[in-house]
PDB file of all heavy atoms in Angstrom:
ATOM      1  N   GLY A  97      -9.081  -9.253  -3.952  1.00  0.00           N
ATOM      2  CA  GLY A  97      -8.215  -8.220  -3.384  1.00  0.00           C
ATOM      3  C   GLY A  97      -7.159  -8.857  -2.507  1.00  0.00           C
ATOM      4  O   GLY A  97      -7.381  -9.934  -1.925  1.00  0.00           O
ATOM      5  N   SER A  98      -6.010  -8.195  -2.421  1.00  0.00           N
ATOM      6  CA  SER A  98      -4.941  -8.751  -1.580  1.00  0.00           C
ATOM      7  C   SER A  98      -5.232  -8.511  -0.104  1.00  0.00           C
ATOM      8  O   SER A  98      -4.698  -9.184   0.768  1.00  0.00           O
ATOM      9  CB  SER A  98      -3.589  -8.143  -1.962  1.00  0.00           C
ATOM     10  OG  SER A  98      -3.598  -6.753  -1.754  1.00  0.00           O
ATOM     11  N   LYS A  99      -6.121  -7.556   0.184  1.00  0.00           N
ATOM     12  CA  LYS A  99      -6.427  -7.213   1.573  1.00  0.00           C
ATOM     13  C   LYS A  99      -6.956  -8.420   2.349  1.00  0.00           C
ATOM     14  O   LYS A  99      -6.447  -8.774   3.407  1.00  0.00           O
ATOM     15  CB  LYS A  99      -7.467  -6.094   1.547  1.00  0.00           C
ATOM     16  CG  LYS A  99      -7.781  -5.457   2.859  1.00  0.00           C
ATOM     17  CD  LYS A  99      -8.732  -4.288   2.585  1.00  0.00           C
ATOM     18  CE  LYS A  99      -8.950  -3.405   3.773  1.00  0.00           C
ATOM     19  NZ  LYS A  99      -9.658  -2.161   3.381  1.00  0.00           N
ATOM     20  N   ILE A 102      -4.281 -11.027   2.922  1.00  0.00           N
ATOM     21  CA  ILE A 102      -3.343 -10.721   4.017  1.00  0.00           C
ATOM     22  C   ILE A 102      -3.995 -11.125   5.342  1.00  0.00           C
ATOM     23  O   ILE A 102      -3.361 -11.706   6.220  1.00  0.00           O
ATOM     24  CB  ILE A 102      -2.937  -9.225   3.996  1.00  0.00           C
ATOM     25  CG1 ILE A 102      -2.133  -8.916   2.730  1.00  0.00           C
ATOM     26  CG2 ILE A 102      -2.135  -8.847   5.250  1.00  0.00           C
ATOM     27  CD1 ILE A 102      -1.824  -7.443   2.494  1.00  0.00           C
ATOM     28  N   TRP A 121       0.414   1.065   6.257  1.00  0.00           N
ATOM     29  CA  TRP A 121      -0.960   1.080   5.739  1.00  0.00           C
ATOM     30  C   TRP A 121      -1.975   0.822   6.858  1.00  0.00           C
ATOM     31  O   TRP A 121      -1.734   0.027   7.764  1.00  0.00           O
ATOM     32  CB  TRP A 121      -1.079   0.011   4.647  1.00  0.00           C
ATOM     33  CG  TRP A 121      -2.408  -0.101   3.990  1.00  0.00           C
ATOM     34  CD1 TRP A 121      -3.165   0.915   3.477  1.00  0.00           C
ATOM     35  CD2 TRP A 121      -3.146  -1.313   3.760  1.00  0.00           C
ATOM     36  NE1 TRP A 121      -4.314   0.406   2.935  1.00  0.00           N
ATOM     37  CE2 TRP A 121      -4.330  -0.948   3.092  1.00  0.00           C
ATOM     38  CE3 TRP A 121      -2.917  -2.660   4.048  1.00  0.00           C
ATOM     39  CZ2 TRP A 121      -5.286  -1.889   2.709  1.00  0.00           C
ATOM     40  CZ3 TRP A 121      -3.856  -3.580   3.656  1.00  0.00           C
ATOM     41  CH2 TRP A 121      -5.028  -3.202   2.999  1.00  0.00           C
ATOM     42  N   TYR A 124      -3.383  -3.101   8.374  1.00  0.00           N
ATOM     43  CA  TYR A 124      -2.638  -4.238   8.941  1.00  0.00           C
ATOM     44  C   TYR A 124      -2.980  -4.474  10.415  1.00  0.00           C
ATOM     45  O   TYR A 124      -3.230  -5.612  10.820  1.00  0.00           O
ATOM     46  CB  TYR A 124      -1.126  -4.023   8.835  1.00  0.00           C
ATOM     47  CG  TYR A 124      -0.565  -3.817   7.457  1.00  0.00           C
ATOM     48  CD1 TYR A 124       0.293  -2.758   7.199  1.00  0.00           C
ATOM     49  CD2 TYR A 124      -0.858  -4.685   6.415  1.00  0.00           C
ATOM     50  CE1 TYR A 124       0.850  -2.567   5.938  1.00  0.00           C
ATOM     51  CE2 TYR A 124      -0.310  -4.502   5.152  1.00  0.00           C
ATOM     52  CZ  TYR A 124       0.540  -3.436   4.920  1.00  0.00           C
ATOM     53  OH  TYR A 124       1.085  -3.241   3.685  1.00  0.00           O
ATOM     54  N   ASN A 172       6.184  -3.490   3.574  1.00  0.00           N
ATOM     55  CA  ASN A 172       5.519  -2.936   2.383  1.00  0.00           C
ATOM     56  C   ASN A 172       6.421  -1.911   1.677  1.00  0.00           C
ATOM     57  O   ASN A 172       6.812  -0.922   2.274  1.00  0.00           O
ATOM     58  CB  ASN A 172       4.196  -2.287   2.846  1.00  0.00           C
ATOM     59  CG  ASN A 172       3.553  -1.407   1.790  1.00  0.00           C
ATOM     60  OD1 ASN A 172       3.146  -0.295   2.073  1.00  0.00           O
ATOM     61  ND2 ASN A 172       3.470  -1.889   0.572  1.00  0.00           N
ATOM     62  N   ASN A 176       2.937   2.514   1.149  1.00  0.00           N
ATOM     63  CA  ASN A 176       1.795   3.339   1.458  1.00  0.00           C
ATOM     64  C   ASN A 176       1.820   3.437   2.978  1.00  0.00           C
ATOM     65  O   ASN A 176       1.674   2.393   3.629  1.00  0.00           O
ATOM     66  CB  ASN A 176       0.501   2.656   0.990  1.00  0.00           C
ATOM     67  CG  ASN A 176      -0.740   3.383   1.449  1.00  0.00           C
ATOM     68  OD1 ASN A 176      -0.659   4.461   2.005  1.00  0.00           O
ATOM     69  ND2 ASN A 176      -1.901   2.772   1.225  1.00  0.00           N
ATOM     70  N   ASP A 204       4.389  -6.918   1.195  1.00  0.00           N
ATOM     71  CA  ASP A 204       3.254  -6.355   0.464  1.00  0.00           C
ATOM     72  C   ASP A 204       3.814  -5.512  -0.684  1.00  0.00           C
ATOM     73  O   ASP A 204       4.265  -4.390  -0.500  1.00  0.00           O
ATOM     74  CB  ASP A 204       2.416  -5.506   1.434  1.00  0.00           C
ATOM     75  CG  ASP A 204       1.181  -4.918   0.760  1.00  0.00           C
ATOM     76  OD1 ASP A 204       1.116  -4.926  -0.486  1.00  0.00           O
ATOM     77  OD2 ASP A 204       0.290  -4.440   1.485  1.00  0.00           O
ATOM     78  N   ILE A 206       2.207  -4.518  -3.468  1.00  0.00           N
ATOM     79  CA  ILE A 206       1.087  -4.093  -4.316  1.00  0.00           C
ATOM     80  C   ILE A 206       1.473  -2.910  -5.220  1.00  0.00           C
ATOM     81  O   ILE A 206       0.886  -2.731  -6.283  1.00  0.00           O
ATOM     82  CB  ILE A 206      -0.157  -3.784  -3.436  1.00  0.00           C
ATOM     83  CG1 ILE A 206      -1.421  -3.585  -4.271  1.00  0.00           C
ATOM     84  CG2 ILE A 206       0.036  -2.572  -2.560  1.00  0.00           C
ATOM     85  CD1 ILE A 206      -2.296  -4.766  -4.384  1.00  0.00           C
ATOM     86  N   TYR A 207       2.476  -2.120  -4.807  1.00  0.00           N
ATOM     87  CA  TYR A 207       2.907  -0.977  -5.634  1.00  0.00           C
ATOM     88  C   TYR A 207       4.180  -1.269  -6.427  1.00  0.00           C
ATOM     89  O   TYR A 207       4.736  -0.372  -7.043  1.00  0.00           O
ATOM     90  CB  TYR A 207       3.141   0.261  -4.748  1.00  0.00           C
ATOM     91  CG  TYR A 207       1.876   0.756  -4.086  1.00  0.00           C
ATOM     92  CD1 TYR A 207       1.548   0.362  -2.792  1.00  0.00           C
ATOM     93  CD2 TYR A 207       0.972   1.581  -4.764  1.00  0.00           C
ATOM     94  CE1 TYR A 207       0.365   0.773  -2.190  1.00  0.00           C
ATOM     95  CE2 TYR A 207      -0.204   1.996  -4.166  1.00  0.00           C
ATOM     96  CZ  TYR A 207      -0.499   1.588  -2.885  1.00  0.00           C
ATOM     97  OH  TYR A 207      -1.678   2.000  -2.295  1.00  0.00           O
ATOM     98  N   SER A 234      -5.018  -3.920  -8.255  1.00  0.00           N
ATOM     99  CA  SER A 234      -5.618  -2.663  -7.801  1.00  0.00           C
ATOM    100  C   SER A 234      -4.812  -1.422  -8.166  1.00  0.00           C
ATOM    101  O   SER A 234      -5.379  -0.387  -8.481  1.00  0.00           O
ATOM    102  CB  SER A 234      -5.803  -2.677  -6.294  1.00  0.00           C
ATOM    103  OG  SER A 234      -6.701  -3.691  -5.955  1.00  0.00           O
ATOM    104  N   LYS A 235      -3.502  -1.528  -8.110  1.00  0.00           N
ATOM    105  CA  LYS A 235      -2.686  -0.329  -8.288  1.00  0.00           C
ATOM    106  C   LYS A 235      -2.134  -0.238  -9.708  1.00  0.00           C
ATOM    107  O   LYS A 235      -2.391   0.732 -10.403  1.00  0.00           O
ATOM    108  CB  LYS A 235      -1.562  -0.282  -7.248  1.00  0.00           C
ATOM    109  CG  LYS A 235      -2.048  -0.527  -5.814  1.00  0.00           C
ATOM    110  CD  LYS A 235      -3.052   0.515  -5.319  1.00  0.00           C
ATOM    111  CE  LYS A 235      -3.664   0.116  -3.999  1.00  0.00           C
ATOM    112  NZ  LYS A 235      -4.689   1.016  -3.519  1.00  0.00           N
ATOM    113  N   GLY A 240      -8.813  -1.139  -8.654  1.00  0.00           N
ATOM    114  CA  GLY A 240      -9.072  -1.419  -7.239  1.00  0.00           C
ATOM    115  C   GLY A 240     -10.450  -2.010  -6.986  1.00  0.00           C
ATOM    116  O   GLY A 240     -10.612  -2.943  -6.201  1.00  0.00           O
ATOM    117  N   ARG A 243     -11.443  -5.846  -7.443  1.00  0.00           N
ATOM    118  CA  ARG A 243     -11.111  -6.751  -6.344  1.00  0.00           C
ATOM    119  C   ARG A 243     -10.421  -8.029  -6.843  1.00  0.00           C
ATOM    120  O   ARG A 243     -11.003  -9.103  -6.867  1.00  0.00           O
ATOM    121  CB  ARG A 243     -12.361  -7.114  -5.490  1.00  0.00           C
ATOM    122  CG  ARG A 243     -13.190  -5.968  -5.031  1.00  0.00           C
ATOM    123  CD  ARG A 243     -12.424  -4.880  -4.286  1.00  0.00           C
ATOM    124  NE  ARG A 243     -11.732  -5.335  -3.115  1.00  0.00           N
ATOM    125  CZ  ARG A 243     -10.419  -5.080  -2.892  1.00  0.00           C
ATOM    126  NH1 ARG A 243      -9.701  -4.376  -3.750  1.00  0.00           N
ATOM    127  NH2 ARG A 243      -9.848  -5.518  -1.813  1.00  0.00           N
ATOM    128  N   LEU A 244      -9.180  -7.877  -7.238  1.00  0.00           N
ATOM    129  CA  LEU A 244      -8.416  -9.049  -7.645  1.00  0.00           C
ATOM    130  C   LEU A 244      -7.004  -8.936  -7.080  1.00  0.00           C
ATOM    131  O   LEU A 244      -6.263  -8.014  -7.443  1.00  0.00           O
ATOM    132  CB  LEU A 244      -8.389  -9.158  -9.180  1.00  0.00           C
ATOM    133  CG  LEU A 244      -7.933 -10.466  -9.851  1.00  0.00           C
ATOM    134  CD1 LEU A 244      -6.440 -10.742  -9.727  1.00  0.00           C
ATOM    135  CD2 LEU A 244      -8.704 -11.686  -9.328  1.00  0.00           C
ATOM    136  N   GLY A 245      -6.694  -9.833  -6.172  1.00  0.00           N
ATOM    137  CA  GLY A 245      -5.357  -9.835  -5.590  1.00  0.00           C
ATOM    138  C   GLY A 245      -4.845 -11.263  -5.485  1.00  0.00           C
ATOM    139  O   GLY A 245      -5.573 -12.226  -5.754  1.00  0.00           O
ATOM    140  N   TYR A 327       2.043   8.221  -3.181  1.00  0.00           N
ATOM    141  CA  TYR A 327       1.909   8.873  -1.871  1.00  0.00           C
ATOM    142  C   TYR A 327       3.164   9.629  -1.457  1.00  0.00           C
ATOM    143  O   TYR A 327       4.285   9.212  -1.777  1.00  0.00           O
ATOM    144  CB  TYR A 327       1.653   7.819  -0.785  1.00  0.00           C
ATOM    145  CG  TYR A 327       0.481   6.926  -1.077  1.00  0.00           C
ATOM    146  CD1 TYR A 327       0.691   5.602  -1.446  1.00  0.00           C
ATOM    147  CD2 TYR A 327      -0.822   7.408  -1.001  1.00  0.00           C
ATOM    148  CE1 TYR A 327      -0.384   4.774  -1.730  1.00  0.00           C
ATOM    149  CE2 TYR A 327      -1.895   6.574  -1.283  1.00  0.00           C
ATOM    150  CZ  TYR A 327      -1.667   5.263  -1.639  1.00  0.00           C
ATOM    151  OH  TYR A 327      -2.720   4.440  -1.919  1.00  0.00           O
TER     152      TYR A 327
HETATM  153  N1  PLP P   1      -1.651  -2.995   0.717  1.00  0.00           N
HETATM  154  C1  PLP P   1      -1.492  -1.671   0.600  1.00  0.00           C
HETATM  155  C2  PLP P   1      -0.225  -1.054   1.081  1.00  0.00           C
HETATM  156  C3  PLP P   1      -2.506  -0.873   0.034  1.00  0.00           C
HETATM  157  O1  PLP P   1      -2.329   0.438  -0.100  1.00  0.00           O
HETATM  158  C4  PLP P   1      -3.704  -1.502  -0.379  1.00  0.00           C
HETATM  159  C5  PLP P   1      -4.815  -0.715  -0.921  1.00  0.00           C
HETATM  160  O2  PLP P   1      -4.965   0.458  -0.731  1.00  0.00           O
HETATM  161  C6  PLP P   1      -3.811  -2.879  -0.232  1.00  0.00           C
HETATM  162  C7  PLP P   1      -2.775  -3.601   0.319  1.00  0.00           C
HETATM  163  C8  PLP P   1      -5.077  -3.621  -0.607  1.00  0.00           C
HETATM  164  O3  PLP P   1      -5.168  -3.781  -1.957  1.00  0.00           O
HETATM  165  P1  PLP P   1      -6.290  -4.685  -2.631  1.00  0.00           P
HETATM  166  O4  PLP P   1      -7.110  -3.755  -3.431  1.00  0.00           O
HETATM  167  O5  PLP P   1      -5.523  -5.698  -3.439  1.00  0.00           O
HETATM  168  O6  PLP P   1      -7.078  -5.358  -1.553  1.00  0.00           O
END
Side-chain angles (χ1 to χ4, degrees):
S98 62
K99 188 175 190 169
I102 294 172
W121 181 49
Y124 302 131
N172 167 227
N176 172 7
D204 182 345
I206 190 98
Y207 295 95
S234 297
K235 311 298 171 184
R243 310 307 302 129
L244 194 289
Y327 306 108

